[in-house]
mmCIF file of all heavy atoms in Angstrom:
data_model
loop_
_atom_site.group_PDB
_atom_site.id
_atom_site.type_symbol
_atom_site.label_atom_id
_atom_site.label_comp_id
_atom_site.label_asym_id
_atom_site.label_seq_id
_atom_site.Cartn_x
_atom_site.Cartn_y
_atom_site.Cartn_z
ATOM 1 N N SER A 222 6.743 -22.034 -12.541
ATOM 2 C CA SER A 222 5.841 -22.816 -11.695
ATOM 3 C C SER A 222 6.186 -22.392 -10.350
ATOM 4 O O SER A 222 5.420 -22.539 -9.393
ATOM 5 C CB SER A 222 6.068 -24.257 -12.012
ATOM 6 O OG SER A 222 7.469 -24.708 -11.875
ATOM 7 N N ASN A 223 7.509 -22.200 -9.879
ATOM 8 C CA ASN A 223 7.859 -21.734 -8.627
ATOM 9 C C ASN A 223 7.333 -20.432 -8.194
ATOM 10 O O ASN A 223 6.830 -20.224 -7.147
ATOM 11 C CB ASN A 223 9.392 -21.604 -8.497
ATOM 12 C CG ASN A 223 10.123 -22.986 -8.625
ATOM 13 O OD1 ASN A 223 9.383 -23.943 -8.622
ATOM 14 N ND2 ASN A 223 11.424 -22.921 -8.696
ATOM 15 N N PHE A 224 7.207 -19.541 -9.230
ATOM 16 C CA PHE A 224 6.433 -18.259 -9.048
ATOM 17 C C PHE A 224 5.027 -18.458 -8.637
ATOM 18 O O PHE A 224 4.472 -17.924 -7.648
ATOM 19 C CB PHE A 224 6.596 -17.327 -10.145
ATOM 20 C CG PHE A 224 5.495 -16.301 -10.262
ATOM 21 C CD1 PHE A 224 5.459 -15.256 -9.361
ATOM 22 C CD2 PHE A 224 4.346 -16.402 -11.190
ATOM 23 C CE1 PHE A 224 4.410 -14.284 -9.537
ATOM 24 C CE2 PHE A 224 3.458 -15.456 -11.217
ATOM 25 C CZ PHE A 224 3.418 -14.325 -10.348
ATOM 26 N N LEU A 225 4.303 -19.303 -9.324
ATOM 27 C CA LEU A 225 2.957 -19.791 -9.135
ATOM 28 C C LEU A 225 2.754 -20.348 -7.684
ATOM 29 O O LEU A 225 1.840 -20.142 -7.007
ATOM 30 C CB LEU A 225 2.410 -20.645 -10.123
ATOM 31 C CG LEU A 225 2.235 -20.061 -11.639
ATOM 32 C CD1 LEU A 225 1.719 -21.155 -12.489
ATOM 33 C CD2 LEU A 225 1.366 -18.866 -11.635
ATOM 34 N N LYS A 226 3.713 -21.079 -7.349
ATOM 35 C CA LYS A 226 3.686 -21.632 -5.902
ATOM 36 C C LYS A 226 3.755 -20.629 -4.863
ATOM 37 O O LYS A 226 3.109 -20.685 -3.780
ATOM 38 C CB LYS A 226 4.931 -22.767 -5.775
ATOM 39 C CG LYS A 226 4.938 -23.387 -4.472
ATOM 40 C CD LYS A 226 6.123 -24.354 -4.414
ATOM 41 C CE LYS A 226 6.107 -25.062 -3.025
ATOM 42 N NZ LYS A 226 7.281 -25.909 -2.838
ATOM 43 N N VAL A 227 4.664 -19.588 -5.059
ATOM 44 C CA VAL A 227 4.713 -18.482 -4.130
ATOM 45 C C VAL A 227 3.356 -17.861 -4.106
ATOM 46 O O VAL A 227 2.914 -17.528 -2.936
ATOM 47 C CB VAL A 227 5.758 -17.452 -4.603
ATOM 48 C CG1 VAL A 227 5.668 -16.194 -3.870
ATOM 49 C CG2 VAL A 227 7.171 -18.136 -4.432
ATOM 50 N N VAL A 228 2.649 -17.600 -5.232
ATOM 51 C CA VAL A 228 1.374 -16.956 -5.182
ATOM 52 C C VAL A 228 0.357 -17.867 -4.429
ATOM 53 O O VAL A 228 -0.311 -17.273 -3.533
ATOM 54 C CB VAL A 228 0.923 -16.692 -6.579
ATOM 55 C CG1 VAL A 228 -0.551 -16.127 -6.613
ATOM 56 C CG2 VAL A 228 1.818 -15.626 -7.353
ATOM 57 N N ARG A 229 0.307 -19.083 -4.744
ATOM 58 C CA ARG A 229 -0.701 -19.967 -3.966
ATOM 59 C C ARG A 229 -0.405 -20.011 -2.598
ATOM 60 O O ARG A 229 -1.336 -20.111 -1.670
ATOM 61 C CB ARG A 229 -0.544 -21.366 -4.619
ATOM 62 C CG ARG A 229 -1.073 -21.606 -6.025
ATOM 63 C CD ARG A 229 -1.173 -23.062 -6.313
ATOM 64 N NE ARG A 229 -0.072 -23.765 -6.172
ATOM 65 C CZ ARG A 229 0.833 -24.018 -7.254
ATOM 66 N NH1 ARG A 229 0.543 -23.487 -8.376
ATOM 67 N NH2 ARG A 229 1.891 -24.636 -6.982
ATOM 68 N N GLU A 230 0.769 -20.090 -2.083
ATOM 69 C CA GLU A 230 1.140 -20.176 -0.648
ATOM 70 C C GLU A 230 1.331 -18.881 0.045
ATOM 71 O O GLU A 230 1.612 -18.904 1.307
ATOM 72 C CB GLU A 230 2.471 -20.991 -0.531
ATOM 73 C CG GLU A 230 2.403 -22.368 -1.089
ATOM 74 C CD GLU A 230 3.631 -23.174 -1.013
ATOM 75 O OE1 GLU A 230 4.704 -22.470 -0.525
ATOM 76 O OE2 GLU A 230 3.738 -24.381 -1.231
ATOM 77 N N SER A 231 0.912 -17.652 -0.572
ATOM 78 C CA SER A 231 1.010 -16.383 0.151
ATOM 79 C C SER A 231 -0.003 -16.242 1.139
ATOM 80 O O SER A 231 0.368 -15.563 2.198
ATOM 81 C CB SER A 231 0.934 -15.327 -0.960
ATOM 82 O OG SER A 231 -0.328 -15.447 -1.591
ATOM 83 N N VAL A 232 -1.157 -16.950 0.971
ATOM 84 C CA VAL A 232 -2.186 -16.960 2.062
ATOM 85 C C VAL A 232 -1.966 -18.160 2.935
ATOM 86 O O VAL A 232 -2.062 -19.302 2.375
ATOM 87 C CB VAL A 232 -3.556 -16.920 1.415
ATOM 88 C CG1 VAL A 232 -4.644 -17.019 2.575
ATOM 89 C CG2 VAL A 232 -3.723 -15.743 0.606
ATOM 90 N N GLY A 233 -1.531 -17.903 4.156
ATOM 91 C CA GLY A 233 -1.225 -19.083 4.938
ATOM 92 C C GLY A 233 0.203 -19.203 5.301
ATOM 93 O O GLY A 233 0.636 -20.138 5.920
ATOM 94 N N PHE A 234 1.003 -18.184 4.820
ATOM 95 C CA PHE A 234 2.512 -18.420 5.103
ATOM 96 C C PHE A 234 2.889 -18.154 6.499
ATOM 97 O O PHE A 234 3.746 -18.800 6.984
ATOM 98 C CB PHE A 234 3.170 -17.332 4.157
ATOM 99 C CG PHE A 234 4.614 -17.602 4.056
ATOM 100 C CD1 PHE A 234 5.258 -18.497 3.220
ATOM 101 C CD2 PHE A 234 5.485 -16.761 4.832
ATOM 102 C CE1 PHE A 234 6.546 -18.718 3.143
ATOM 103 C CE2 PHE A 234 6.970 -17.079 4.877
ATOM 104 C CZ PHE A 234 7.436 -17.979 3.980
ATOM 105 N N PHE A 235 2.073 -17.282 7.129
ATOM 106 C CA PHE A 235 2.203 -17.049 8.633
ATOM 107 C C PHE A 235 0.840 -17.404 9.272
ATOM 108 O O PHE A 235 0.096 -16.460 9.536
ATOM 109 C CB PHE A 235 2.672 -15.745 8.936
ATOM 110 C CG PHE A 235 3.927 -15.236 8.323
ATOM 111 C CD1 PHE A 235 4.050 -14.474 7.282
ATOM 112 C CD2 PHE A 235 5.073 -15.560 9.047
ATOM 113 C CE1 PHE A 235 5.289 -14.248 6.836
ATOM 114 C CE2 PHE A 235 6.343 -15.228 8.669
ATOM 115 C CZ PHE A 235 6.426 -14.489 7.456
ATOM 116 N N PRO A 236 0.645 -18.707 9.638
ATOM 117 C CA PRO A 236 -0.730 -19.105 9.962
ATOM 118 C C PRO A 236 -0.922 -18.760 11.528
ATOM 119 O O PRO A 236 -1.223 -19.594 12.359
ATOM 120 C CB PRO A 236 -0.776 -20.582 9.769
ATOM 121 C CG PRO A 236 0.698 -21.005 10.011
ATOM 122 C CD PRO A 236 1.449 -19.836 9.428
ATOM 123 N N ARG A 237 -0.878 -17.532 11.787
ATOM 124 C CA ARG A 237 -1.209 -17.029 13.103
ATOM 125 C C ARG A 237 -2.286 -15.960 13.141
ATOM 126 O O ARG A 237 -2.563 -15.376 12.144
ATOM 127 C CB ARG A 237 0.070 -16.348 13.807
ATOM 128 C CG ARG A 237 1.197 -17.236 14.002
ATOM 129 C CD ARG A 237 0.885 -18.142 15.122
ATOM 130 N NE ARG A 237 2.037 -19.036 15.449
ATOM 131 C CZ ARG A 237 2.150 -20.271 14.993
ATOM 132 N NH1 ARG A 237 1.305 -20.687 14.086
ATOM 133 N NH2 ARG A 237 3.161 -21.048 15.324
ATOM 134 N N VAL A 238 -3.106 -15.931 14.212
ATOM 135 C CA VAL A 238 -4.215 -15.001 14.306
ATOM 136 C C VAL A 238 -3.748 -13.645 14.123
ATOM 137 O O VAL A 238 -4.320 -12.737 13.345
ATOM 138 C CB VAL A 238 -4.920 -15.106 15.750
ATOM 139 C CG1 VAL A 238 -6.050 -14.040 15.755
ATOM 140 C CG2 VAL A 238 -5.558 -16.489 15.713
ATOM 141 N N SER A 239 -2.610 -13.254 14.598
ATOM 142 C CA SER A 239 -1.971 -12.016 14.383
ATOM 143 C C SER A 239 -0.466 -12.159 14.157
ATOM 144 O O SER A 239 0.204 -12.894 15.000
ATOM 145 C CB SER A 239 -2.254 -10.940 15.483
ATOM 146 O OG SER A 239 -1.570 -9.727 15.285
ATOM 147 N N VAL A 240 0.126 -11.380 13.204
ATOM 148 C CA VAL A 240 1.563 -11.282 13.130
ATOM 149 C C VAL A 240 2.019 -9.988 13.669
ATOM 150 O O VAL A 240 2.504 -9.107 12.802
ATOM 151 C CB VAL A 240 2.063 -11.672 11.817
ATOM 152 C CG1 VAL A 240 3.632 -11.898 11.712
ATOM 153 C CG2 VAL A 240 1.379 -13.029 11.344
ATOM 154 N N ASN A 241 1.772 -9.633 14.885
ATOM 155 C CA ASN A 241 2.094 -8.362 15.448
ATOM 156 C C ASN A 241 1.226 -7.182 14.986
ATOM 157 O O ASN A 241 1.533 -6.098 15.341
ATOM 158 C CB ASN A 241 3.572 -8.087 15.281
ATOM 159 C CG ASN A 241 4.495 -9.000 15.953
ATOM 160 O OD1 ASN A 241 4.258 -9.349 16.994
ATOM 161 N ND2 ASN A 241 5.475 -9.522 15.181
ATOM 162 N N ALA A 242 0.246 -7.410 14.368
ATOM 163 C CA ALA A 242 -0.870 -6.442 14.194
ATOM 164 C C ALA A 242 -1.792 -6.252 15.262
ATOM 165 O O ALA A 242 -2.497 -7.171 15.737
ATOM 166 C CB ALA A 242 -1.613 -6.751 12.840
ATOM 167 N N PHE A 243 -1.768 -5.060 15.827
ATOM 168 C CA PHE A 243 -2.683 -4.787 17.102
ATOM 169 C C PHE A 243 -3.975 -4.422 16.472
ATOM 170 O O PHE A 243 -4.431 -3.253 16.480
ATOM 171 C CB PHE A 243 -1.989 -3.638 17.911
ATOM 172 C CG PHE A 243 -0.665 -3.747 18.424
ATOM 173 C CD1 PHE A 243 0.069 -2.845 18.869
ATOM 174 C CD2 PHE A 243 -0.058 -5.148 18.418
ATOM 175 C CE1 PHE A 243 1.401 -2.990 19.406
ATOM 176 C CE2 PHE A 243 1.132 -5.283 18.967
ATOM 177 C CZ PHE A 243 1.963 -4.253 19.389
#
Side-chain angles (χ1 to χ4, degrees):
S222 60
N223 292 352
F224 158 72
L225 294 178
K226 182 181 178 182
V227 166
V228 173
R229 287 194 302 268
E230 295 179 354
S231 60
V232 178
F234 194 80
F235 295 102
R237 293 288 181 268
V238 171
S239 173
V240 189
N241 296 317
F243 298 166

